[in-house]
């Protein structure tokens, strides 16, 4: 089955029926996918404030009404508790289970946060003729802990996590211009060039994801990464949190190109 | 005394000492000024969510920690309860007093919101050779209620208020490009051309501010306006709220040109 040309509504329906339980990479060509985080209302204000203060690592696509599973802005007729192929449940910062449906766990004090994902800007880079190395090499994007502090908010604090894509200088300029116009999916790079300047000692050893080839004459370009909010939340150890499982995203009805604003 | 070339820190000091109590328009050339809104924590989550859902009318520059009067991001050594020349206090949506200092009213459950202001992008328009009619004519900018709904959040809902600047088409294009790069001060226009399309019946009769001349061949360009969050909050009638008095703004240490990001 080729899901790349299928509509987001149809794919979400198959996910809801349990007929798709795998990763969503490559599904619904051109449509934005989002990271999920669900928190109880008691932690929601601090987290919403954290995202306001740190929009580059934590670009919000949509926040649900308290207790609501309904997605209103980014999709039609979508249920955040059933329309993601795989969820993870975290208790006090520790993963305690994976589920393909979390409607039985939903509480009326839960708030969901849908967070923008670099899949969206990679689509725009490829359309603009900027190749993306880890896609070429069939790997996960390399990600690194930096020495850059997030601005803290209530219980949430930590370092910025970045993703890295190597490219020649002319492409780095084009990639900066394209992503600068997409603030809802991490925006412009946070750093270009020397990894040590942001506390990365060995570029060949990412903290998450896979290493990729950096060719002669290429410079590493670093973007804030959606792993930041998840790592910050897990280290704050809320009594309960629900996230998507890595690579198993929420597929929205909004085209990546419309995230330019 | 010429305050236009004085530093924001020095002007805020004079305001704190009660030596400046008037409007801040024209002070500290090139530095961003912000609108103030203070709410109790009980209403702060709904309002923060409202601003997240409506970033064009409600672009947040900074949100304080609960109970804190300290400005951390937009200025150094600034006290939000003393460094604005004139405040208004609102009880259940009704203005009950004006003060030049609100430190005696401050509570440990208060949260302040500093909201971007179109003064910032007007400075950038003027620098780029785009004249601004209401400045030329020495009037307040014309503002209109529209038929465009804000996305509601908790107790907060209402229509978008817009400001209007007339200009020839070539300048409208340049103004769109400049303001699109400044999402933290309302961003790109919300509408260009026919006022009726957004529910404005008579362009010569603004709902707030003053009427300005529209010359032959000019088109009206509409931006979301910082009056929106204030009008929405006042109609939600929180038990208490504090705002700046019109034109009496908070002067930040951040240059307008740095609000492009």
């Amino acid at each position: 089955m080729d899901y790349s040309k299928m509509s987001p509504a149809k794919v979400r329906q198959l996910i809801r029926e349990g007929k798709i339980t795998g990763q969503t990479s490559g599904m619904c060509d051109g449509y934005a996918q989002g990271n999920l985080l669900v928190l109880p209302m008691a932690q929601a204000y601090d987290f919403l404030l954290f995202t306001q203060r740190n929009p580059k690592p934590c670009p919000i696509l949509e926040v649900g009404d308290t207790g609501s599973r309904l997605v209103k802005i980014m999709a039609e007729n979508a249920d955040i508790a059933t329309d993601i192929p795989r969820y993870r449940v975290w208790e006090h910062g520790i993963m305690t289970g994976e589920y393909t449906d979390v409607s039985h766990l939903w509480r009326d004090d839960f708030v969901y946060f849908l967070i923008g994902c670099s899949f969206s800007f990679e689509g725009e880079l490829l359309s603009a003729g900027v190749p993306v190395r880890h896609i070429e090499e069939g790997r996960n994007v390399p990600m690194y802990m930096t020495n850059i502090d997030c601005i803290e908010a209530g219980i949430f604090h930590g370092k910025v996590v970045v993703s890295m894509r190597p490219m020649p200088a002319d492409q780095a300029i084009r990639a900066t211009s394209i992503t600068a116009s997409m603030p809802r999916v991490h925006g412009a790079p946070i750093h270009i060039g020397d990894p040590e300047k942001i506390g990365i000692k060995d570029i060949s050893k990412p903290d998450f994801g896979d290493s990729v080839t950096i060719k002669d004459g290429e410079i590493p370009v670093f973007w804030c990464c959606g792993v930041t909010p998840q790592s910050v939340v897990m280290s704050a150890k809320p009594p309960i949190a629900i996230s998507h499982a890595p690579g198993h995203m929420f597929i929205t009805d909004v085209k990546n190109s419309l995230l330019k604003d």
Side-chain angles (χ1 to χ4, degrees), chain A:
Chain A
M1 189 67 113
D2 179 12
Y3 298 117
S4 70
K5 300 297 169 205
M6 204 176 267
S7 76
K10 182 70 189 153
V11 170
R12 289 197 307 268
Q13 182 63 32
L14 293 172
I15 291 170
R16 191 182 301 189
E17 292 167 0
K19 292 175 182 156
I20 295 177
T21 57
Q23 298 210 9
T24 53
S25 172
M27 292 184 181
C28 308
D29 239 6
Y31 287 91
Q33 301 196 11
N35 300 288
L36 175 72
L37 195 72
V38 178
L39 287 169
M41 187 57 199
Q43 283 81 44
Y45 179 78
D46 282 356
F47 186 67
L48 183 56
L49 185 56
F50 186 84
T51 67
Q52 192 282 320
R53 290 181 178 171
N54 299 281
K56 284 175 82 103
C58 311
I60 292 285
L61 296 176
E62 181 165 357
V63 181
D65 290 321
T66 308
S68 174
R69 293 156 42 178
L70 191 70
V71 180
K72 285 185 180 172
I73 300 167
M74 296 301 293
E76 269 186 42
N77 297 317
D79 179 339
I80 207 71
T82 62
D83 293 1
I84 286 178
R86 189 169 294 272
Y87 299 85
R88 287 185 168 179
V89 173
W90 304 78
E91 295 176 83
H92 303 285
I94 293 163
M95 212 252 286
T96 55
E98 277 201 355
Y99 303 87
T100 56
D101 183 317
V102 290
S103 46
H104 64 295
L105 299 172
W106 198 263
R107 300 189 337 204
D108 61 11
D109 69 333
F110 275 0
V111 178
Y112 75 78
F113 298 83
L114 211 50
I115 300 169
C117 164
S118 57
F119 283 10
S120 294
F121 75 67
E122 288 178 349
E124 291 301 291
L125 293 180
L126 292 173
S127 314
V130 177
V132 177
R133 181 65 35 80
H134 65 94
I135 296 177
E136 289 176 341
E137 298 188 339
R139 299 185 192 171
N140 194 355
V141 67
M143 293 167 275
Y144 306 84
M145 293 293 300
T146 69
N147 59 7
I148 305 166
D149 285 312
C150 294
I151 304 175
E152 65 178 40
I155 61 170
F156 299 110
H157 60 95
K159 303 288 182 186
V160 172
V161 180
V162 293
S163 61
M164 187 279 289
R165 293 160 189 82
M167 55 189 82
D170 60 333
Q171 289 180 2
I173 291 164
R174 189 183 291 180
T176 298
S177 162
I178 291 167
T179 55
S181 73
M182 302 181 79
R184 300 181 68 195
V185 284
H186 304 303
I190 189 170
H191 183 59
I192 293 185
D194 187 1
E196 284 210 26
K197 284 247 166 83
I198 55 171
I200 299 170
K201 298 226 166 62
D202 186 348
I203 195 78
S204 71
K205 298 206 173 102
D207 296 297
F208 315 95
D210 303 320
S211 176
V212 298
T213 309
I214 304 180
K215 297 179 185 165
D216 272 358
E218 290 185 336
I219 48 176
V221 184
F222 299 92
W223 278 268
C224 289
C225 175
V227 169
T228 314
Q230 286 197 31
S231 90
V232 159
V233 166
M234 298 325 161
S235 71
K237 302 186 181 18
I240 188 162
I242 300 173
S243 72
H244 66 288
H248 300 67
M249 319 291 280
F250 180 79
I251 305 175
T252 77
D253 289 341
V254 177
K255 293 237 180 190
N256 292 321
S257 53
L258 290 180
L259 294 178
K260 298 176 189 163
D261 181 43

